[in-house]
Amino acid sequence: GYSIQMSIRVLSIVKKRFAVISQRITLYKDGALLQQNSKRYSLKHAELCDKSPLVILHGNQVIKGEVKSSGKWVYEVSFHLDNISAHLLFEAKTKGWKGRNPGGDWWAVILPRATVKGILNVDDQKIKVNGIGYHDHNWDVRPRVARNNFGWFWGKINFKTYTAIWATIFEKRSCGLPILMINENEDGFINILPKDIVFKGCDVKRKNRRYIPSHFNLTAKTEHINLD
């Protein structure tokens, strides 16, 4: 019943001269938020590689990814922040993809779906992990990107043999550009064009000082796909 998200964000004010790196961990149990922890690092305490997924913070390897002889991406993910720690192994189940968003920034989903095994520790409780994981990466998100859109929604749906990853980037407050990719386990992906997608956020409620839809309607229909 546990779900955990770990993110690393790099904020650069002057390229390669001033950067703040933040690590954030969010933990859920049966859909309810348990806790959220974060920590900041300076660039001198971090090693970031632009050739492969490799992140080292304060001398500790957090992410290391490589392509095995089978052609699959495999990640080692380790972190320790306050009372939460984990050592996890991700192995890709689908092919990844990347693309450029309307604002000019880039979005790559290297692991649309992965098997995840390892150990999660919460308050000294050791939990054996055998689950489903995901990894994406955004970059070149410049100030003009924020000026050119009003935010976005995104999510993923894991079926038995397929994974659907969707997003809507709002070019206007009332008008969004929908994105939908369908991945098949042990196979490739299908890109659904925006004209074939209908996306609606429904039953909007105020939470954490924001108005957030409590559920979404997502439909897509093409010659090969019928999703509702």
Side-chain angles (χ1 to χ4, degrees):
Y2 284 96
S3 178
I4 190 165
Q5 181 196 30
M6 192 272 287
S7 65
I8 296 173
R9 299 181 182 182
V10 180
L11 173 64
S12 177
I13 306 300
V14 179
K15 191 174 183 181
K16 294 183 179 180
R17 292 184 183 178
F18 179 76
V20 175
I21 300 167
S22 63
Q23 181 183 19
R24 178 179 294 178
I25 295 172
T26 310
L27 180 68
Y28 301 86
K29 178 69 166 68
D30 298 323
L33 176 64
L34 288 185
Q35 55 184 291
Q36 182 169 282
N37 304 332
S38 62
K39 186 175 181 179
R40 287 188 174 185
Y41 302 85
S42 65
L43 190 59
K44 67 179 180 180
H45 291 135
E47 182 180 339
L48 309 171
C49 180
D50 60 0
K51 303 299 181 185
S52 64
L54 177 64
V55 178
I56 298 173
L57 300 176
H58 246 303
N60 299 312
Q61 179 182 291
V62 181
I63 298 173
K64 182 182 179 182
E66 59 181 339
V67 180
K68 294 295 187 181
S69 57
S70 62
K72 290 185 177 182
W73 278 102
V74 175
Y75 278 44
E76 287 182 55
V77 177
S78 300
F79 53 80
H80 189 168
L81 199 58
D82 296 335
N83 61 322
I84 303 173
S85 65
H87 183 76
L88 306 170
L89 185 68
F90 288 62
E91 183 173 330
K93 292 289 290 181
T94 59
K95 289 184 178 180
W97 45 266
K98 72 175 180 178
R100 198 166 195 173
N101 292 322
D105 58 313
W106 290 84
W107 183 28
V109 180
I110 300 93
L111 300 178
R113 183 174 182 149
T115 57
V116 183
K117 295 181 180 180
I119 298 293
L120 170 68
N121 293 286
V122 181
D123 291 325
D124 296 324
Q125 177 188 2
K126 186 175 288 188
I127 302 163
K128 188 176 181 180
V129 174
N130 189 358
I132 297 174
Y134 167 90
H135 175 243
D136 73 357
H137 179 52
N138 294 85
W139 72 97
D140 208 20
V141 185
R142 300 185 182 189
R144 70 169 185 271
V145 175
R147 291 196 299 268
N148 290 345
N149 68 67
F150 288 90
W152 59 87
F153 294 122
W154 73 272
K156 60 185 183 299
I157 309 165
N158 288 313
F159 304 97
K160 186 175 181 180
T161 55
Y162 291 91
T163 295
I165 297 174
W166 56 268
T168 290
I169 299 172
F170 286 91
E171 298 172 301
K172 300 177 181 177
R173 289 189 184 275
S174 59
C175 181
L177 176 71
I179 299 169
L180 176 62
M181 303 290 286
I182 307 290
N183 278 87
E184 185 175 3
N185 288 356
E186 310 296 345
D187 208 339
F189 55 83
I190 300 173
N191 178 21
I192 311 300
L193 298 178
K195 68 180 182 64
D196 297 319
I197 307 167
V198 176
F199 173 89
K200 294 180 181 178
C202 307
D203 195 13
V204 176
K205 297 179 180 178
R206 187 171 175 82
K207 189 175 182 180
N208 297 330
R209 295 179 295 176
R210 293 180 181 272
Y211 289 98
I212 302 173
S214 59
H215 70 270
F216 303 105
N217 289 337
L218 174 64
T219 59
K221 191 170 184 179
T222 71
E223 183 182 354
H224 304 289
I225 295 291
N226 190 357
L227 178 68
D228 187 353

